[in-house]
Amino acid sequence: MLNLFRIMAFYSLYLSIFVAANANANASDSVDFSGKTIEWIVPFKRGGGADQWAQFNAPYLSKYLPGNPEVVIKYIPGSGSIKAANAFEKNAASDGLSLLGTSSSTKLPYLLGDKRVTYDFSKWQVLLMYPTGGVVYVSPNLGISSYLEIAKLRGKKLIYGSQGATSLDMIQQLGFEFLNLQVSTFFGIRGRAAGRYAFEKGIANLDTQTSSSYLKHVQPMVEQGRAIPLYSMGALDEHGALIRDPQFPGLPTLAEVYELLEGHKPSGEKWDNWFSLLTVGFGAQKSLVLPKSTPQNIIDTYHQAFEKILIDPEYMAKKNAVLGSYKQLTGDAAVRLYQQSIKPMSNQYWIRQMLLEKFNLKIK
């Protein structure tokens, strides 16, 4: 009987230690950002699509993160987002206080092995994914009033400001070439907002903006007769086929414009390569990430916050007018899309050859 009491006392002591240990573990797993400031890094100048995305989400992130931290936007433009991404990789702590809003201009140089890249895009912890679209537009000074007159642009000198040959602008450059448009490109702009500024000042007569920036900044110019939309980047249906962007149903896709010019649907190697870049560049364009070494409890806390944000009634009521109707993803769905978007591209050799021939840019 004495042994029985000893056994029961032992298990009672063990149980109390186990419960206490779990209570401490749960306490350590909790995350509280009270009194903290979180930096959402935008790797471009103010005013572009990445800025719009950050500005819209930041107040809600503050609302739903535990402790209601202040979320501030920090701009680090340079090298088509590579400067900020390299700095984030090197310096960002794993305490959940530094976020990087990436775009395809961050992803494409990584996938192509751009020697300026020192970050590992595949190792960051994704919190939110934002597929988006975009619109290409021109100045009415070129003598057209509708995309239906695009044939008149052939033979005219079109001027376009680019963030860099391996940035998201590479998709546009290939599109211009596919349409047989004579485009003179100047490099060095620090984000698409700067490209729009060059357009507004008459330095460029051809430009593109992602959907959120187009809706806010370019649509008013269209309504005033200061810009003529040519085509949207389109969207992908459930079978992966290119369709008109539901946000811009009145605008054709590049495929439709090509058919208008040539009398037949696009096909061939050049089209296939452009389409594969479109899928990577716009179908999974923007992602919000934490450093690779961030503890899981902090990652989970952010996912839980974004799950609440995406169903917030006020957020849902305002989102389409600011960001468009594209569905944002968090949690496992975001992780899956993020991983799919960074698979090695089968057309790397073709892209590298194009960059060498067109821009004298050799990628290792």
Side-chain angles (χ1 to χ4, degrees), residues 163-356:
Q163 304 169 85
T166 61
S167 72
L168 181 64
D169 292 329
M170 173 171 52
I171 300 172
Q172 307 298 359
Q173 295 282 168
L174 287 172
F176 302 151
E177 186 171 316
F178 192 68
L179 296 176
N180 196 24
L181 299 176
Q182 296 179 9
V183 178
S184 176
T185 302
F186 63 91
F187 295 101
I189 67 168
R190 306 179 104 186
R192 291 300 337 145
R196 188 185 70 250
Y197 179 80
F199 180 89
E200 291 173 350
K201 295 299 181 182
I203 300 168
N205 56 16
L206 168 68
D207 190 43
T208 180
Q209 296 290 315
T210 53
S211 298
S212 56
S213 180
Y214 182 88
L215 288 168
K216 181 175 181 179
H217 299 289
V218 183
Q219 187 61 45
M221 288 197 288
V222 173
E223 293 167 359
Q224 296 162 10
R226 298 165 51 212
I228 308 298
L230 290 183
Y231 56 89
S232 82
M233 303 314 296
L236 303 180
D237 66 12
E238 64 271 21
H239 304 295
L242 183 64
I243 59 173
R244 286 196 176 192
D245 188 333
Q247 188 66 44
F248 309 106
L251 289 180
T253 64
L254 183 140
E256 291 177 85
V257 171
Y258 178 87
E259 189 172 0
L260 178 66
L261 288 167
E262 304 297 339
H264 59 86
K265 295 182 183 298
S267 61
E269 181 186 41
K270 189 177 289 188
W271 168 254
D272 291 341
N273 283 310
W274 181 86
F275 187 74
S276 69
L277 282 173
L278 175 76
T279 304
V280 171
F282 284 87
Q285 187 187 105
K286 290 180 171 57
S287 51
L288 183 66
V289 299
L290 285 166
K292 59 185 177 183
S293 57
T294 304
Q296 190 62 47
N297 62 328
I298 294 178
I299 299 169
D300 292 342
T301 298
Y302 270 98
H303 281 159
Q304 291 161 14
F306 277 116
E307 286 171 0
K308 295 174 183 176
I309 289 170
L310 297 181
I311 59 172
D312 179 282
E314 180 187 68
Y315 183 94
M316 294 172 69
K318 294 180 178 180
K319 172 191 165 289
N320 285 6
V322 179
L323 301 181
S325 57
Y326 315 100
K327 184 179 180 181
Q328 297 181 101
L329 302 174
T330 191
D332 292 342
V335 172
R336 284 194 297 271
L337 181 58
Y338 187 80
Q339 293 301 324
Q340 289 170 5
S341 73
I342 55 177
K343 291 179 180 179
M345 294 186 293
S346 59
N347 57 350
Q348 279 195 35
Y349 175 78
W350 183 89
I351 294 170
R352 289 175 179 176
Q353 285 299 113
M354 182 277 297
L355 292 172
L356 179 62

Side-chain angles (χ1 to χ4, degrees), residues 20-127:
N22 274 275
N24 289 335
N26 289 334
S28 66
D29 283 344
S30 65
V31 176
D32 186 1
F33 290 115
S34 296
K36 304 291 187 181
T37 297
I38 293 173
E39 286 187 344
W40 182 318
I41 299 168
V42 172
F44 306 103
K45 293 184 72 173
R46 293 174 183 267
D51 184 22
Q52 289 284 110
W53 186 45
Q55 294 284 359
F56 185 69
N57 278 287
Y60 295 95
L61 190 55
S62 177
K63 176 181 177 180
Y64 284 108
L65 280 175
N68 308 118
E70 181 182 10
V71 180
V72 300
I73 312 300
K74 182 177 182 180
Y75 303 91
I76 309 179
S79 302
S81 82
I82 293 176
K83 177 182 176 180
N86 283 343
F88 182 79
E89 175 84 1
K90 181 179 179 181
N91 302 319
S94 58
D95 54 7
L97 300 182
S98 295
L99 309 173
L100 176 65
T102 76
S103 84
S104 294
S105 290
T106 323
K107 186 190 328 177
L108 287 170
Y110 165 79
L111 290 173
L112 291 170
D114 191 315
K115 63 183 179 181
R116 297 171 298 170
V117 169
T118 59
Y119 53 85
D120 189 342
F121 198 97
S122 68
K123 297 294 177 62
W124 289 334
Q125 304 291 342
V126 64
L127 304 174

